[in-house]
Amino acid sequence: MPHYESPILVLIDVTPSGAAAPSTAQLIGAAAQLGTPVALVAAPADSAKDAVDSAVAAGAQLVLTTDVDDGPIAVPIVDAMQAAYRTVQPDAVLISNSIAGRDVAGRLAVREHLALSVDAVDVARDDEGIVAHHSVYGGAYLTHSAPTFGTPVITVRQGTIDTRAKSAPEARVEKLTVEPSGAAVAVGTVVEALQIASSRPELRGARVVVSGGRGLGSKENFSLVEDLADELNAAIGASRAAVDAGFIPFPHQVGQTGVSVSPQLYVAIGISGAIQHRAGMQTAKTIVAINKDPGSPIFDVADFGIVGDLFTVVPQVVDALRGRKK
Ligand SMILES: Cc1cc2nc3c(=O)[nH]c(=O)nc-3n(C[C@H](O)[C@H](O)[C@H](O)COP(=O)(O)OP(=O)(O)OC[C@H]3O[C@@H](n4cnc5c(N)ncnc54)[C@H](O)[C@@H]3O)c2cc1C
C-alpha cells in the first residue's frame, strides 16, 4: 500500500441495495479535516460497486474493499475493520454513530485496545492530537474528548459536520485480505430482519425533520405532521409522549431515549421541548417551533417560533407551501 500522510480510516455504511449510506460524505469530509481519508467498503461480493464510487466521489484517496456476507451480525465487518486498521495504521478511525456503527466501533476499540469516543458532533486536530467534540445534556454543554494514548475510534452523529472533501477521481481501490476471527457473535437466533419500506427519508441523517408531540391530541390528527413533512420532503419525528400515546411507532422518537438528529431544518409541532427531547434535536441547524404556549421551553432553542393553535397554523403553512409549488 502506498504511503498516505496522516491516514484517517472511515467505515462506509452500505445499505442492503449496495449503496453508500447518506453518512458517507460527512464521514469522509470529517476525515479530510484530520488527514487523508481512507475508506473501507465491507459488503457482500459484487454488490458494493456503487458504494465504492460514492466513497471516491466523496473524496476518499484510497478505498479498501472486502466481501462480507449480508446480515445483522457485525463480527465480519469488525474483522474487516481490524484488518484495515492494521494495514492502514490510521491516526483516527471514524464510524457513523448508527446502531450498527456503534456496535462495530465498540468491538474494534476493545480488540485493538483503542480509545472509544462516541456521538461526536465535530472532530479537530490540536497540538497534541485528535479531539472529538460532543454536545451533551440536551445541547447545554459542548465537551471535548481525546485519547491519552493511541488512536481514537470516533463515532460521528449524522448531519453535524458540514465539511465536504473534494472528489478524488485518482483514488486507488484495493482489495483487502481479511482472516475471519471466528469471534462469538453474541446473538442467539435472528428470527427475522425487517426492512421498513418508506418513501420518506430516513429519520437519522435526514436534512429536514418534522416532529409532532402530545399537542396533536390523537393518532388521526398526526396526519397534520405528515402533510407538512410531505411538502418539505421531510422525515417524521415525534416526542416520547406522542409515541407513548400511540400516535406513531417508537422508531420515530427523537430524544435521549430515541434517535438523535441534526437536520438543516427541524420543525417541532405541539412539543413542549423537555430536556430529554432537546437532547436529540438541539444540534439542528434551524429549529422552528409551533406551540400555543409562549412559555414552552421549546422556544428557548427555536430560531423561529409561531405561538398559535397548531390546528390553525399547520394547515396554513401546508397551504402556503402548496401554493408556492403551483
Ligand atoms: C428517562 C427519560 C427519557 C426520556 N426520553 C425522551 C425522549 O427520548 N424523547 C422525548 O421526546 N421525550 C423523552 N422523555 C419525556 C419527556 O420528559 C417529555 O415528557 C416529553 O418529551 C413530552 O412530550 P411532548 O412535548 O409531546 O408533550 P407535552 O410536554 O405534554 O407538551 C405538549 C405541548 O403541546 C402544546 N400544545 C397542546 N395543544 C396545542 C395546540 N392545539 N396547538 C399548539 N400547541 C399545543 C402544549 O403547549 C405543550 O407545550 C423522557 C423522559 C424521561 C424521564
Side-chain angles (χ1 to χ4, degrees):
M1 196 187 85
H3 175 75
Y4 292 93
E5 195 66 37
S6 304
I8 307 296
L9 178 62
V10 169
L11 174 63
I12 305 296
D13 268 348
V14 182
T15 67
S17 65
S23 55
T24 301
Q26 160 173 287
L27 284 175
I28 293 177
Q33 289 181 178
L34 305 174
T36 307
V38 173
L40 172 68
V41 172
D46 302 328
S47 79
K49 185 183 173 311
D50 287 354
V52 171
D53 291 348
S54 298
V56 170
Q61 298 290 326
L62 168 67
V63 183
L64 300 171
T65 65
T66 187
D67 303 337
V68 296
D69 288 341
D70 196 7
I73 313 292
V75 167
I77 296 181
V78 182
D79 292 347
M81 274 302 272
Q82 190 170 23
Y85 174 80
R86 291 184 175 184
T87 304
V88 175
Q89 305 206 342
D91 286 4
V93 178
L94 301 185
I95 298 177
S96 172
N97 192 54
S98 59
I99 293 170
R102 293 196 299 258
D103 191 359
V104 173
R107 290 168 186 256
L108 176 67
V110 168
R111 282 195 194 180
E112 291 291 323
H113 303 285
L114 303 174
L116 177 63
S117 184
V118 297
D119 199 20
V121 296
D122 204 358
V123 290
R125 243 182 214 282
D126 68 10
D127 295 344
E128 292 177 32
I130 287 171
V131 182
H133 302 294
H134 310 264
S135 171
V136 301
Y137 296 125
Y141 295 91
L142 196 61
T143 62
H144 316 290
S145 67
T148 46
F149 65 91
T151 296
V153 177
I154 303 171
T155 69
V156 182
R157 190 186 297 185
Q158 289 185 36
T160 52
I161 299 179
D162 291 330
T163 306
R164 294 293 177 266
K166 284 204 185 102
S167 166
E170 72 292 353
R172 296 171 66 105
V173 179
E174 290 187 7
K175 196 95 186 156
L176 180 72
T177 306
V178 180
E179 290 294 327
S181 63
V185 294
V187 170
T189 310
V190 177
V191 180
E192 195 181 359
L194 289 175
Q195 287 297 328
I196 299 172
S198 169
S199 56
R200 293 208 169 84
E202 199 198 333
L203 180 56
R204 210 185 285 270
R207 289 180 60 78
V208 182
V209 175
V210 178
S211 282
R214 194 183 346 236
L216 269 301
S218 72
K219 188 174 180 176
E220 291 67 38
N221 292 343
F222 210 84
S223 62
L224 278 177
V225 176
E226 292 168 11
D227 291 347
L228 184 54
D230 286 345
E231 293 311 310
L232 295 172
N233 191 23
I236 291 188
S239 70
R240 176 161 150 183
V243 169
D244 288 352
F247 300 171
I248 185 151
F250 171 71
H252 294 272
Q253 181 173 317
V254 171
Q256 182 184 320
T257 43
V259 174
S260 288
V261 296
S262 276
Q264 296 294 316
L265 172 64
Y266 187 88
V267 184
I269 303 174
I271 293 177
S272 60
I275 188 156
Q276 296 89 354
H277 186 79
R278 298 201 317 246
M281 46 67 74
Q282 198 158 326
T283 51
K285 305 289 182 301
T286 301
I287 298 171
V288 175
I290 302 171
N291 197 305
K292 67 179 182 185
D293 174 7
S296 275
I298 192 74
F299 289 123
D300 295 343
V301 294
D303 299 283
F304 299 96
I306 302 174
V307 178
D309 188 329
L310 68 90
F311 297 105
T312 310
V313 174
V314 177
Q316 285 181 15
V317 176
V318 170
D319 280 351
L321 289 169
R322 283 183 186 150
R324 286 175 55 167
K325 285 185 186 164
K326 282 180 190 157

